Amino acid sequence: MLLEIKNLRVSVHGKKIIKGLNLKVNAGEVHAIMGPNGTGKSTLAAVIAGREIFEVNDGEIIYKGKDLFDLSIEERAREGIFLGFQYPVEIPGVSMTNFMKTAIDEIRKYRGLPALSAGDFLKMMEEKKKLVEIQSNLTSRSVNQGFSGGEKKRNEIFQMAMLEPTLAILDETDSGLDIDALKIVANGVNKLRRPDNATIVITHYQRLLDYIVPDFVHVLYEGRIVKSGGKELALELEEKGYDWIKNELDA
Amino acid sequence: MTPDQGSNSRIMKKQPRIRPLKENMAKLHRQFAEEICRYDSPYLKELRDSALSTFMEKGFPSHELEAWRNTSLDEALEREYLFDFDVQQEKADINRIFRCEIHNFETFLFTQLNGWYIYENAPLTELPNGVIAGSLREAMKRHPQLFAEHYGRYADTGKNGLVALNTAFAMDGIFIMVPDNTELEKPIQWVNIVNAGEPMFLQPRHLVILGKNSKLTLVHCDDSIQKENTFINAVTEVFTGEGSTLDFYKLQNKDAGSNLVNSLFIHQEGGSRVQTNTITLNGGLIRNDVHSTIGGSQCETLLNGLYLVDRKQHVDNQVFVDHLKPENTSSQLYKGIVDDEADAVFNGHIHVAKDAQKTEAYQTNRNILLSENARVTTKPFLEIYADDVKCSHGATVGQLDPEALFYLRSRGICERNARMLLMYAFAAEVVGKINIDILRDRIDQMVQKRLKGELSICDQCVLHCKDERDIVFEIDMSKIPS
């Protein structure tokens, strides 16, 4: 088991957002978490990544046999957790190259790997850029500064490719993308798929799942997973709308 | 600067140790009038006399003055200092004292040691293209007409006690004159070194004259080798003739015991372009006054500053841009990172005269406070009498962006390095304005080292770093093909 979330309860500023959530993810799997706005999808992603404003009230997250809450934000990343941000942060003055070089140096050091030479690093950058069809000048610019919405999302997948995570959580990676950009992003994610890693795709719409085909689909509603199934569940949701879930729950 | 034992008594007499009190200064001026005024033309003599009376009237600046509300010289003025009236116009092996190690940084190097201009060949170099550069004292002697035209014309000697004091006592410094339509192929690098083995009170005076359509790049390093306290009251006057271009880079890396007051007065004629970059990496007490008077049209004035202070360091930047004529653009960008118990002050004053229509004047001061005990005082001041102008100002004091910190850490970067990257990025905006690639790269590295706490006072000069350590951000962006 790569990730196991047991009875997770999370609040922010006293407001309960996640109310007893359970999820198991194995290596090699792609999970999609769907649900209406405001049900805790992004909160779940942020809590796994280690965002500090959330308060974990109960439950646990076991990742690779370790208690995730014992690890700092950066330790989680070095252990292979990657969060693709819904709103990637603009950081003026920090170049993509310096950013990635610093990250990879630290991750490799943590894992006891020898440092990459500048030449090898640049070669790696070139290779991974192709994966998401990034124009070469993007990497010499400041992190996300002045990037279009599509460029920002492609940049997230580029970083994912560079860091080769074991567990990637993509938070609304499809939001704000036109169909061409969506295809590029999905294609990048698919190419990074391996038997020893897993991906959790958080999305509001079914559209992305035409391109990133999930093994499991979960519906998150009011802080809990209320329905799980195969990829056909996403299609059913698309067809019947989230009211279908609400009605079913109310019944 | 070890005094010759044989002429010890003579030197001792010419190097009194005394507290810089108002009455003592008058006494010193009388006592050493012969040395001080040796090359004075009637114009200079008169200027000195009136400057001395101004100083006697105003004295050293106190808290009562608006411009000195947040910087106090009281403690510095309580000590005794050595005043050196023993004119050192001798040849010296500059390379023994100073070596700049910005590799491949080709400059004309001018050096001042303890306030005196030192040279290998001649006190004043007069190049075939008409450029005159070297010792101010020697220029005073040889070019009285240039002095009558420019010297003392731009500094506010009549209003400012410290400037008046400098004017009364000025004996040496750097003099540069670039004639019309002339461009120096290399920057002039000018280094002030203090190494006396005891507390010194220095008053260097500099004059830079740019002729019409001339071009000059100046790199001024204020540096100290010694641990002892120093008090430097420096005044620089700059005249930029019509259509001329001046890039002026000032680097300050001083020890904790130093008190440095730098007053820079720039007078711009029409169509001239001036950029100053004041980079403060370390210092005890540093006060930088930049006073720019725009006396023509179609001028550009870019005043930039970066200060990185920690411990008990104090830095005070006072910027005054005086738009007297229409159709000029000025822009101020000052940024600072303030840690520990350090204290930073920024006062930016833009004055737009009634006739100065179509003025564009901008001002930005941004600060990051890293500790609860650090302090920033920032005061923008726009004084606008014209009605067709574009002016803006903005001042911020904040912490590092927590969203950006989280983003960086979520990629595996530890908190310390994440903070470092953000601080470096913050500083890079100012460093990026340096137009000389090699100097920018070097200062960029120094800023990185400074932020990591690895930059101390270097052995020789602010630009000299023997001890090269691995730098985390080792990739030089300029080398990466895009």
Side-chain angles (χ1 to χ4, degrees), chain A residues 49-52 73-74 77-78 82-83 85 88-89 91-95 97-99 101-103 106-107 121 136 140 143-144 156 159 163, chain B residues 401-418 421-422 424-426 428 448 472-477 480-482:
Chain A
R51 183 155 245 165
E52 284 146 334
I73 301 163
E74 53 268 31
R78 294 167 189 173
F82 177 88
L83 172 64
F85 281 59
V89 184
I91 312 180
V94 176
S95 73
T97 310
N98 271 353
F99 170 39
K101 180 74 166 74
T102 309
E106 289 200 42
I107 290 171
F121 171 77
S136 55
S140 60
V143 177
N144 293 320
E156 292 297 291
Q159 293 170 44
L163 304 179
Chain B
D401 176 9
E403 291 296 310
L405 271 177
F406 176 69
Y407 191 74
L408 294 171
R409 291 178 68 191
S410 80
R411 300 302 185 240
I413 298 171
C414 70
E415 190 175 357
R416 182 176 178 271
N417 276 344
L421 274 170
L422 292 181
Y424 168 61
F426 178 82
Q448 289 176 21
V472 178
F473 326 112
E474 64 194 352
I475 291 197
D476 177 355
M477 293 310 300
I480 293 169
S482 58

Side-chain angles (χ1 to χ4, degrees), chain B residues 250-419:
Chain B
K250 290 155 78 76
L251 307 180
Q252 301 172 327
N253 196 30
K254 304 284 289 180
D255 55 74
S258 73
N259 301 283
L260 172 65
V261 181
N262 243 323
S263 305
L264 170 64
F265 298 90
I266 303 166
H267 177 92
Q268 281 186 258
E269 293 282 289
S272 63
R273 188 192 160 278
V274 170
Q275 173 171 336
T276 66
N277 286 57
T278 307
I279 314 272
T280 307
L281 298 174
N282 276 299
L285 180 153
I286 290 186
R287 160 83 172 214
N288 293 309
D289 283 21
V290 180
H291 187 131
S292 177
T293 306
I294 307 172
S297 292
Q298 268 77 46
C299 291
E300 198 180 4
T301 311
L302 309 169
L303 308 176
N304 306 311
L306 174 69
Y307 40 94
L308 309 176
V309 283
D310 58 7
R311 288 163 286 167
K312 289 184 183 300
Q313 300 175 355
H314 178 98
V315 61
D316 180 351
N317 282 291
Q318 303 273 327
V319 183
F320 177 44
V321 181
D322 197 0
H323 283 268
L324 295 177
K325 293 278 156 67
E327 293 168 35
N328 291 304
T329 303
S330 74
S331 166
Q332 304 168 27
L333 174 67
Y334 275 73
K335 294 180 97 172
I337 302 177
V338 186
D339 201 358
D340 301 332
E341 294 160 64
D343 200 348
V345 183
F346 176 81
N347 270 6
H349 183 176
I350 297 171
H351 173 259
V352 181
K354 201 165 167 240
D355 297 335
Q357 300 295 1
K358 309 262 182 227
T359 289
E360 286 187 36
Y362 308 105
Q363 182 189 87
T364 306
N365 175 232
R366 303 210 181 288
N367 297 279
I368 290 180
L369 275 179
L370 295 178
S371 96
E372 282 189 9
N373 295 322
R375 211 170 64 161
V376 170
T377 311
T378 173
K379 204 184 82 181
F381 180 32
L382 269 56
E383 198 185 347
I384 300 167
Y385 299 102
D387 48 21
D388 183 15
V389 300
K390 275 189 207 163
C391 294
S392 74
H393 65 85
T396 56
V397 181
Q399 279 85 38
L400 295 172
D401 176 9
E403 291 296 310
L405 271 177
F406 176 69
Y407 191 74
L408 294 171
R409 291 178 68 191
S410 80
R411 300 302 185 240
I413 298 171
C414 70
E415 190 175 357
R416 182 176 178 271
N417 276 344
R419 295 173 71 88

Side-chain angles (χ1 to χ4, degrees), chain B residues 63-336:
Chain B
H63 278 95
E64 287 155 30
L65 297 171
E66 182 59 32
W68 287 88
R69 267 171 77 146
N70 300 296
T71 295
S72 170
L73 298 176
D74 295 353
E75 205 186 311
L77 294 172
E78 270 168 23
R79 295 189 201 99
E80 270 193 1
Y81 293 94
L82 182 145
F83 288 77
D84 186 5
F85 296 100
D86 185 39
V87 182
Q88 306 277 313
Q89 288 263 302
E90 285 151 31
K91 293 187 182 188
D93 182 359
I94 293 166
N95 287 321
R96 243 191 54 220
I97 302 162
F98 170 82
R99 207 152 49 93
C100 179
E101 294 210 348
I102 301 187
H103 303 291
N104 311 316
F105 188 35
E106 288 277 319
T107 61
F108 296 110
L109 179 65
F110 293 102
T111 314
Q112 262 187 295
L113 179 62
N114 301 332
W116 302 106
Y117 180 79
I118 58 169
Y119 56 91
E120 275 177 275
N121 302 309
L124 197 65
T125 307
E126 308 207 15
L127 299 172
N129 60 8
V131 173
I132 307 171
S135 157
L136 182 99
R137 192 170 176 81
E138 189 68 16
M140 233 177 226
K141 185 164 75 177
R142 286 205 224 160
H143 298 283
Q145 72 290 356
L146 281 175
F147 273 71
E149 202 181 325
H150 296 287
Y151 185 88
R153 302 287 185 195
Y154 316 119
D156 58 353
T157 315
K159 286 191 256 170
N160 182 323
L162 279 171
V163 173
L165 183 67
N166 176 290
T167 306
F169 278 85
M171 291 176 77
D172 207 354
I174 305 287
F175 175 84
I176 299 166
M177 199 284 288
V178 185
D180 293 354
N181 308 309
T182 305
E183 180 177 346
L184 255 73
E185 71 266 33
K186 291 190 281 187
I188 287 184
Q189 185 182 6
W190 126 39
V191 183
N192 286 356
I193 301 170
V194 183
N195 186 17
E198 60 182 302
M200 280 200 90
F201 195 100
L202 299 170
Q203 304 205 69
R205 177 73 175 225
H206 316 293
L207 177 61
V208 178
I209 305 164
L210 266 74
K212 285 181 189 166
N213 304 313
S214 66
K215 229 175 157 176
L216 176 67
T217 298
L218 277 176
V219 181
H220 178 190
C221 310
D222 253 317
D223 207 10
S224 47
I225 301 174
Q226 65 176 15
K227 290 266 181 289
E228 285 78 14
N229 295 302
T230 52
F231 194 111
I232 301 178
N233 174 30
V235 174
T236 307
E237 287 180 288
V238 175
F239 171 86
T240 57
E242 277 176 29
S244 63
T245 302
L246 173 70
D247 275 349
F248 194 172
Y249 303 105
K250 290 155 78 76
L251 307 180
Q252 301 172 327
N253 196 30
K254 304 284 289 180
D255 55 74
S258 73
N259 301 283
L260 172 65
V261 181
N262 243 323
S263 305
L264 170 64
F265 298 90
I266 303 166
H267 177 92
Q268 281 186 258
E269 293 282 289
S272 63
R273 188 192 160 278
V274 170
Q275 173 171 336
T276 66
N277 286 57
T278 307
I279 314 272
T280 307
L281 298 174
N282 276 299
L285 180 153
I286 290 186
R287 160 83 172 214
N288 293 309
D289 283 21
V290 180
H291 187 131
S292 177
T293 306
I294 307 172
S297 292
Q298 268 77 46
C299 291
E300 198 180 4
T301 311
L302 309 169
L303 308 176
N304 306 311
L306 174 69
Y307 40 94
L308 309 176
V309 283
D310 58 7
R311 288 163 286 167
K312 289 184 183 300
Q313 300 175 355
H314 178 98
V315 61
D316 180 351
N317 282 291
Q318 303 273 327
V319 183
F320 177 44
V321 181
D322 197 0
H323 283 268
L324 295 177
K325 293 278 156 67
E327 293 168 35
N328 291 304
T329 303
S330 74
S331 166
Q332 304 168 27
L333 174 67
Y334 275 73
K335 294 180 97 172

